[in-house]
């Protein structure tokens, strides 16, 4: 009898690397479009059931809930997506500097859940395509 692992051929893509150095380089030198995709956040349970997707790239004006970190449980709107540092700024999460000015605290998109989507034409088309694939 021949072992099963000798009968099954593994998929192997020569263009994908396991190297930590190369993966970090690709992550930090990625284009703005690739960074947008990297900066995706999971949807809330209600939105998952409604749109049949788990996550979507985050954008300005989306309403979110922080699920990890010091600001866990806080709800707010996305003020800005900073692709250069892979962080988002949320309107109600800020701190006061020593010179009495308020600054937003950057938060990773992986630490938040989207509770309300802002639907533009691109997003509507994307969600409709995903819904058709599921049905």
């Amino acid at each position: 009898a021949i072992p099963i692992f000798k009968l099954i051929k593994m998929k192997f893509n020569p263009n994908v690397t396991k190297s930590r150095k190369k993966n970090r380089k690709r992550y930090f030198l990625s284009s703005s479009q690739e960074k947008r995709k990297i900066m995706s956040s999971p949807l809330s349970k209600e939105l998952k059931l409604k749109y049949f997707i788990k996550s979507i790239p985050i954008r300005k004006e989306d309403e979110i809930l922080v699920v990890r970190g010091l600001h866990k449980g806080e709800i707010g709107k996305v003020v800005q997506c900073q692709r250069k540092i892979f962080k988002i700024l949320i309107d109600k999460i800020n701190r006061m500097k020593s010179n009495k000015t308020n600054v937003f605290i950057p938060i990773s998109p992986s630490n938040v859940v989207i509770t309300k989507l802002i639907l533009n034409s691109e997003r509507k088309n994307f969600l409709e395509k995903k819904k058709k694939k599921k049905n």
Side-chain angles (χ1 to χ4, degrees):
I2 301 170
I4 295 173
F5 66 87
K6 288 191 176 179
L7 295 174
I8 301 170
K9 278 198 164 187
M10 295 295 289
K11 290 182 181 176
F12 179 72
N13 185 346
N15 301 324
V16 178
T17 180
K18 290 181 181 178
S19 168
R20 175 177 163 82
K21 179 182 177 181
K22 290 178 186 175
N23 280 322
R24 282 178 56 81
K25 181 180 180 182
R26 186 170 180 199
Y27 177 79
F28 290 111
L29 297 180
S30 55
S31 67
S32 184
Q33 292 84 0
E34 290 168 338
K35 286 180 182 183
R36 177 184 165 272
K37 204 166 189 180
I38 291 169
M39 291 179 62
S40 293
S41 291
L43 297 176
S44 65
K45 289 179 182 178
E46 300 84 35
L47 292 178
K48 279 182 190 176
L49 293 171
K50 185 176 179 182
Y51 296 118
F52 301 104
I53 57 170
K54 290 182 179 180
S55 65
I56 195 166
I58 200 158
R59 72 180 293 255
K60 192 176 174 180
E61 300 297 316
D62 282 343
E63 286 186 23
I64 58 100
L65 167 69
V66 181
V67 291
R68 284 179 214 90
L70 292 172
H71 305 283
K72 183 178 179 177
E74 293 192 37
I75 300 169
K77 275 191 177 181
V78 177
V79 176
Q80 188 179 19
C81 293
Q82 294 184 335
R83 290 185 187 165
K84 190 172 183 180
I85 59 170
F86 297 96
K87 303 283 184 187
I88 58 171
L89 303 179
I90 302 159
D91 63 350
K92 294 179 183 173
I93 300 175
N94 53 25
R95 67 178 183 87
M96 191 175 289
K97 290 173 68 173
S98 59
N99 64 357
K100 306 291 188 248
T101 58
N102 280 334
V103 289
F104 295 111
I105 298 172
I107 293 178
S108 175
S110 63
N111 295 340
V112 301
V113 169
I114 300 173
T115 55
K116 186 179 177 188
L117 287 171
I118 297 297
L119 294 175
N120 58 359
S121 59
E122 289 176 23
R123 267 191 172 176
K124 281 181 185 174
N125 293 339
F126 173 76
L127 294 171
E128 285 171 11
K129 284 180 188 176
K130 288 288 185 179
K131 209 171 196 177
K132 284 179 185 175
K133 283 185 181 179
K134 282 285 181 184
N135 294 336

